[in-house]
């Protein structure tokens, strides 16, 4: 549906804000562009929309070479972060905006409007102005406009970022439901990893204008290609240590030691590297088959359904996360087990993942 | 209790300067004018007897007053739309950030820095029957000379041209600022939907610009009603009262005819007209304005 080859963008001809992006988005796919602010994800989306020029590379939309196509010729719709609802128009006119220009007959417009208003639960608000709506309702109107245009591709630029947490969770599910129902191809920009993980069929993680990884949400989570992806996805953030291989195990940040149990081989692929351990991968006690870490609890936090314990690691704090309410107190000694398969190794200079089993995925 | 009195005193201290200026320079003269208008006055301006509504009755029977009222309406009909369309057009042309746009923006706002006197002098030369640039140009192309300021039917048009020329700079600046303040995602939304050209202007730009257009409309109308400088400098209301506007008529009755109470009555009527029109604009026209 959308294909990019070596796409690049530069505003001044020197600095590239986006470099060498290649990807293919399939019909009916929910594709998420994820990255920290300023990584170029919105720019990339706007290049697909035709709102930004493509400096280099090729873009195909629905089989057509689209680099030079005007936005309206690309047959897509877009939901903006601020919704771009016209304050002087009623909800109805906002939803139908652009259908006259696309020469859709009045009768057909009414049919579409009624259907969309029903799907989105907007039927009783059609005569209101945007100023008389709540944030969530405005969001729905923006979405309804996009659906009403019946374009096969819908681009969304951080559409949920102006909503409060509860509504955001609700709209996540709603957008996903409508996308499935109508078979839309959605390209969705967000900096929120929860949105990316829960909504996307596939995620592309971008950083500083470069693709870090493209894959299904769980693949990206379980098998990150590099340190960037590993630390960007996951809450709390993956614990990162500088590791040095020693006789008895791995010295972390020059202070803690990750000791081998039994006959485990030396875990480090190099004498010095970076090791990452997710908070939920620590086990309680030394029942682990792999490695053990002795630390001292610095702070214990209960969220009700889980317990987070942080411990000092020589350069800051690392976090352990366990389900349930685990009795613990600050200052208490912790024995933490980690299985071998839950150690992520990264090159200390490039941040690339070092796979111990010859590069195969875990 | 003490706290409340303290707050009141504080508020009064802050309000006093503005209040004082308002009372001394606006409210007091206004009340005085109203009082004067129901009396008769001598040539020195002293009140010499109660006249009731005599001045007002005389006013509406006065042929000259009717002429100046008609002239003022013609003047408004010419200058307000003229100024608005011209300044809007210029603002639309220069609203995009392109290279060299600053030069045009500067040129278009230059008239703001020119005094009425200087502009009137300059345009008097332009309109000069034999040596003026306009007539010279018309003659060069084989046309017939126009009596810009001497022809009774043309003079009001000429005065309007000067007024438009004078006011466009300011209105242009307001509208340009308005255009620049419109969130560009509205245009991007229109681009993607394929709404362009005249449709985009009508459905996106003008409605979003409406608060600014409304402001420009209101001040243009008020300014037109109060127009005096250009008339005084260029035509003195002539020829044959064809450019005699309401404020100029007041001026003549005070400073030429020493007819103070009659002029005061004209002032009160002008006040009522301007207030009425402003109220109409705020109640009726402003309904179509959307503030963001």
């Amino acid at each position: 549906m959308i294909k990019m080859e070596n796409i690049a963008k530069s505003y001044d001809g020197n600095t590239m804000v986006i470099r060498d992006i290649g990807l293919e988005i399939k019909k009916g796919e929910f594709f998420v562009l994820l990255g920290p602010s300023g990584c170029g994800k919105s720019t990339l989306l706007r290049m697909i929309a035709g709102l930004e020029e493509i400096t280099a590379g090729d873009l195909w939309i629905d089989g057509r070479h689209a680099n030079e196509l005007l936005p309206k010729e690309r047959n897509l719709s877009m939901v903006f972060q601020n919704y771009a609802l016209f304050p002087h128009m009623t909800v109805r006119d906002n939803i139908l905006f652009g259908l006259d220009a696309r020469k859709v007959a009045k009768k057909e417009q009414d049919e579409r409007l009624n259907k969309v208003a029903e799907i989105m639960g907007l039927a009783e608000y059609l005569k209101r102005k945007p100023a008389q709506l709540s944030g969530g309702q405005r969001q729905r109107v923006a979405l309804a406009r996009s659906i009403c245009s019946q374009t096969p591709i819908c681009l969304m630029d951080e559409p949920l970022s102006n909503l409060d947490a509860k509504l955001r969770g609700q709209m996540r599910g709603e957008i996903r439901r409508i996308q499935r129902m109508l078979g839309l191809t959605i390209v969705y920009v967000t900096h929120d990893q929860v949105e990316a993980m829960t909504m996307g069929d596939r995620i592309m993680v971008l950083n500083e204008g470069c693709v870090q990884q493209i894959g299904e949400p769980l693949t990206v989570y379980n098998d990150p290609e590099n340190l960037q992806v590993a630390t960007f996805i996951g809450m709390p953030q993956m614990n990162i240590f500088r590791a040095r291989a020693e006789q008895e195990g791995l010295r972390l940040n020059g202070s803690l030691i990750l000791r081998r149990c039994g006959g485990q081989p030396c875990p480090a692929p190099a004498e010095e590297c970076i090791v990452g351990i997710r908070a939920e991968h620590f086990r309680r006690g030394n029942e682990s088959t792999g490695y053990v870490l002795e630390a001292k609890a610095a702070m214990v936090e209960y969220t009700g359904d889980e317990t987070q314990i942080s411990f000092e690691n020589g350069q800051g704090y690392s976090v352990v996360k366990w389900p349930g309410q685990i009795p613990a107190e600050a200052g208490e000694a912790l024995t933490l087990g980690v299985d071998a398969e839950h150690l992520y190794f990264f090159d200390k200079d490039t941040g690339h993942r070092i796979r111990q089993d010859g590069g195969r995925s875990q | 209790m003490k706290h409340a009195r303290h707050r009141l005193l504080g508020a009064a201290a802050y309000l006093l300067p503005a209040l004082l200026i308002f009372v001394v320079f606006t409210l007091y003269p206004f009340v005085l004018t109203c009082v004067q208008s129901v009396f008769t006055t001598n040539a020195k301006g002293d009140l010499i007897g109660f006249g009731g509504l005599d001045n007002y009755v005389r006013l509406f029977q006065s042929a000259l007053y009717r002429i100046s009222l008609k002239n003022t309406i013609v003047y408004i009909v010419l200058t307000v739309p003229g100024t608005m369309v011209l300044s809007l057009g210029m603002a639309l042309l220069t609203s995009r950030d392109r290279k060299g746009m600053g030069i045009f923006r500067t040129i278009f706002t230059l008239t703001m820095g020119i005094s009425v006197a200087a502009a009137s002098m300059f345009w008097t030369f332009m309109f000069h029957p034999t040596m003026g640039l306009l007539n010279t140009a018309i003659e060069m192309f084989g046309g017939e000379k126009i009596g810009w300021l001497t022809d009774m039917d043309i003079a009001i048009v000429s005065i309007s041209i000067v007024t438009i020329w004078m006011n466009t700079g300011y209105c242009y600046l307001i509208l340009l600022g308005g255009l620049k303040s419109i969130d560009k995602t509205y245009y991007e939304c229109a681009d993607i939907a394929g709404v362009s050209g005249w449709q985009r202007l009508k459905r996106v730009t003008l409605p979003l610009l409406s608060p600014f257009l409304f402001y420009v409309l209101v001040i243009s109308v008020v300014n037109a009603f109060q127009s005096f400088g250009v008339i005084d400098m260029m035509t003195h209301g002539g020829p044959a009262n064809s450019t005699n506007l309401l404020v100029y008529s007041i001026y003549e009755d005070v400073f030429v005819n020493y007819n103070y109470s009659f002029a005061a009555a004209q002032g009160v009527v002008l006040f009522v007209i301007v207030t009425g029109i402003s109220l109409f604009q705020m109640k009726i026209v402003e309904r179509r304005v959307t503030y963001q």
Side-chain angles (χ1 to χ4, degrees):
Chain A
M1 200 72 187
I2 299 172
K3 199 170 136 201
M4 293 187 191
E5 274 175 9
N6 309 103
I7 291 276
K9 173 76 189 176
S10 170
Y11 286 104
D12 57 3
N14 295 318
T15 12
M16 289 287 171
V17 291
I18 282 181
R19 263 164 297 168
D20 196 25
I21 288 189
L23 71 102
E24 199 165 348
I25 299 171
K26 293 186 281 285
K27 191 171 187 325
E29 188 174 21
F30 199 118
F31 193 87
V32 177
L33 303 178
L34 176 68
S37 49
C39 73
K41 55 192 190 303
S42 283
T43 309
L44 190 61
L45 189 78
R46 293 165 58 81
M47 282 157 85
I48 299 175
L51 300 172
E52 297 276 356
E53 256 177 67
I54 296 169
T55 310
D58 294 291
L59 171 69
W60 279 274
I61 295 176
D62 219 357
R64 283 191 302 168
H65 191 256
N67 282 37
E68 305 297 328
L69 289 182
L70 290 172
K72 64 173 178 182
E73 296 166 341
R74 299 185 183 208
N75 201 18
L76 43 78
S77 58
M78 186 159 172
V79 177
F80 294 88
Q81 183 173 4
N82 64 0
Y83 315 143
L85 298 182
F86 298 101
H88 55 282
M89 292 185 197
T90 58
V91 167
R92 179 183 185 278
D93 291 343
N94 262 300
I95 293 177
L96 294 176
F97 182 77
L99 292 189
D100 284 336
R102 285 186 197 270
K103 305 223 160 37
V104 178
K106 286 276 177 239
K107 197 167 156 254
E108 159 105 32
Q109 288 190 18
D110 282 337
E111 280 168 16
R112 286 192 199 181
L113 178 76
N114 291 335
K115 201 175 142 208
V116 170
E118 197 182 321
I119 297 176
M120 301 301 301
L122 287 169
E124 52 192 303
Y125 304 110
L126 292 178
K127 286 193 182 123
R128 294 208 192 164
K129 296 269 177 77
Q132 297 164 295
L133 300 178
S134 69
Q137 289 166 337
R138 285 182 214 176
Q139 221 291 319
R140 269 168 225 264
V141 177
L143 208 58
R145 172 159 68 196
S146 187
I147 294 168
C148 226
S149 70
Q150 290 193 357
T151 53
I153 299 171
C154 177
L155 310 178
M156 299 191 176
D157 191 359
E158 308 237 10
L160 303 184
S161 59
N162 288 354
L163 302 180
D164 62 52
K166 196 177 155 210
L167 260 174
R168 212 180 305 159
Q170 203 181 318
M171 288 307 292
R172 277 207 307 263
E174 211 156 311
I175 292 177
R176 191 72 172 116
R177 177 177 65 88
I178 288 162
Q179 182 259 340
R180 288 233 175 90
M181 188 169 79
L182 302 174
L184 291 170
T185 309
I186 288 185
V187 186
Y188 187 102
V189 162
T190 184
H191 65 266
D192 182 342
Q193 47 154 323
V194 179
E195 282 175 24
M197 293 296 291
T198 54
M199 299 171 85
D201 289 319
R202 279 194 302 156
I203 298 176
M204 174 164 108
V205 184
L206 263 173
N207 193 39
E208 290 176 353
C210 294
V211 179
Q212 304 295 318
Q213 187 167 1
I214 303 177
E216 288 171 20
L218 286 183
T219 311
V220 174
Y221 185 86
N222 291 331
D223 197 11
E225 295 276 357
N226 57 38
L227 200 54
Q228 288 285 352
V229 178
T231 52
F232 191 74
I233 294 183
M235 267 300 272
Q237 198 179 331
M238 183 189 273
N239 297 300
I240 297 297
F241 311 92
R242 273 187 306 105
R244 172 183 281 278
E246 288 183 4
Q247 194 63 44
E248 43 192 324
L250 277 179
R251 179 70 67 183
L252 304 180
N253 288 349
S255 81
L256 300 174
I257 185 130
L258 189 66
R259 219 169 344 98
R260 291 184 271 158
C261 299
Q264 290 288 335
C266 181
E271 199 180 328
E272 273 188 73
C273 63
I274 291 169
V275 62
I277 306 170
R278 290 210 185 273
E280 72 271 24
H281 286 156
F282 285 108
R283 295 175 180 227
R284 290 169 70 195
N286 49 12
E287 61 203 55
S288 155
T289 55
Y291 307 89
V292 171
L293 183 68
E294 302 285 349
K296 208 169 86 180
M299 189 166 63
V300 183
E301 291 173 304
Y302 297 101
T303 57
D305 61 335
E306 48 180 48
T307 308
Q308 287 195 13
I309 303 173
S310 53
F311 61 88
E312 208 179 329
N313 63 22
Q315 278 194 348
Y317 293 91
S318 296
V319 183
V320 175
K321 185 171 79 175
W322 288 319
Q325 301 171 357
I326 312 294
E329 263 177 69
E332 197 176 295
L334 290 172
T335 306
L336 304 168
V338 190
D339 290 340
E341 74 214 60
H342 288 146
L343 293 178
Y344 295 90
F345 293 102
F346 303 96
D347 187 286
K348 73 177 166 61
D349 300 315
T350 62
H352 287 315
R353 175 86 177 276
I354 306 169
R355 293 173 204 275
Q356 288 194 286
D357 46 3
R360 247 185 325 113
S361 293
Q362 289 174 0
Chain B
M1 205 42 216
K2 198 176 165 198
H3 185 68
R5 213 173 63 202
H6 218 81
R7 278 174 56 99
L8 200 69
L9 271 176
Y14 281 109
L15 283 173
L16 199 65
L19 214 57
L20 211 64
I21 290 172
F22 171 76
V23 169
V24 173
F25 292 105
T26 307
L27 190 64
Y28 172 69
F30 175 71
V31 172
L32 203 66
T33 306
C34 290
V35 170
Q36 219 172 27
S37 72
V38 290
F39 280 84
T40 44
T41 46
N42 64 14
K44 282 195 292 186
D46 305 325
L47 307 182
I48 50 173
F50 185 73
L53 294 178
D54 283 359
N55 282 320
Y56 293 96
V57 174
R58 233 178 90 204
L59 195 58
F60 289 109
Q61 288 168 346
S62 156
L64 190 58
Y65 188 75
R66 276 206 298 274
I67 288 173
S68 72
L69 190 63
K70 190 205 90 192
N71 287 341
T72 307
I73 292 167
V74 171
Y75 179 72
I76 288 170
V77 167
L78 288 175
T79 57
V80 173
T83 307
M84 287 186 68
V85 169
L86 193 65
S87 53
L88 177 65
M90 284 167 16
L92 286 171
L93 282 175
T94 56
S95 66
R96 284 205 185 180
D97 286 311
R98 292 259 171 84
K99 219 177 162 186
M101 211 51 107
I103 299 168
F104 288 99
R105 288 180 190 159
T106 312
I107 292 172
F108 288 165
T109 45
L110 268 182
T111 56
M112 281 174 67
I114 295 172
S115 72
V116 184
S120 302
M121 283 296 285
F122 160 71
W123 277 97
T124 307
F125 286 127
M126 295 280 281
F127 286 143
H128 193 280
T130 50
M131 285 142 43
L133 187 72
L134 294 177
N135 276 354
T136 315
I138 287 171
E139 267 197 313
M140 219 165 74
F141 291 105
E144 213 166 294
K145 282 192 213 167
I146 295 172
W148 293 102
L149 296 174
T150 48
D151 187 319
M152 271 181 65
D153 296 325
I154 303 289
I156 189 94
V157 178
S158 307
I159 293 294
S160 299
I161 290 172
V162 180
T163 308
I164 292 170
W165 186 85
M166 291 273 308
N167 292 347
T168 297
Y170 177 69
C171 295
Y172 161 76
L173 199 67
I174 300 287
L175 294 181
L176 181 68
L179 283 174
K180 303 292 276 178
S181 76
I182 295 175
D183 190 332
K184 73 176 178 12
T185 47
Y186 289 124
Y187 291 117
E188 291 175 349
C189 186
D191 278 347
I192 288 174
V195 176
S196 53
W198 169 245
Q199 277 297 322
R200 196 178 84 162
L201 182 70
K202 198 178 86 178
R203 300 198 59 198
V204 179
T205 310
L206 290 184
L208 292 171
L209 193 63
S210 61
F212 298 89
L213 287 168
F214 180 68
Y215 171 74
V216 166
L217 173 74
V218 172
I219 60 148
S220 296
V221 170
V222 172
N223 279 347
F225 269 112
Q226 300 187 338
S227 211
F228 171 75
V230 178
I231 312 289
D232 188 48
M233 299 293 295
M234 296 183 74
T235 63
H236 299 288
N241 287 318
S242 64
T243 59
N244 194 341
L245 304 187
L246 290 176
V247 173
Y248 193 77
S249 157
I250 295 175
Y251 163 80
E252 280 207 313
D253 273 319
V254 176
F255 294 102
V256 180
N257 305 332
Y258 302 112
N259 209 340
Y260 293 102
S261 61
F262 189 54
Q266 290 181 43
V268 173
V269 171
L270 179 62
F271 170 79
V272 171
I273 293 174
V274 173
T275 308
I277 286 182
S278 296
L279 280 178
F280 168 79
Q281 286 171 334
M282 283 171 191
K283 295 277 176 221
I284 310 297
V285 184
E286 203 173 11
R287 270 193 213 151
R288 304 193 53 180
V289 174
T290 316
Y291 296 97
Q292 288 186 55

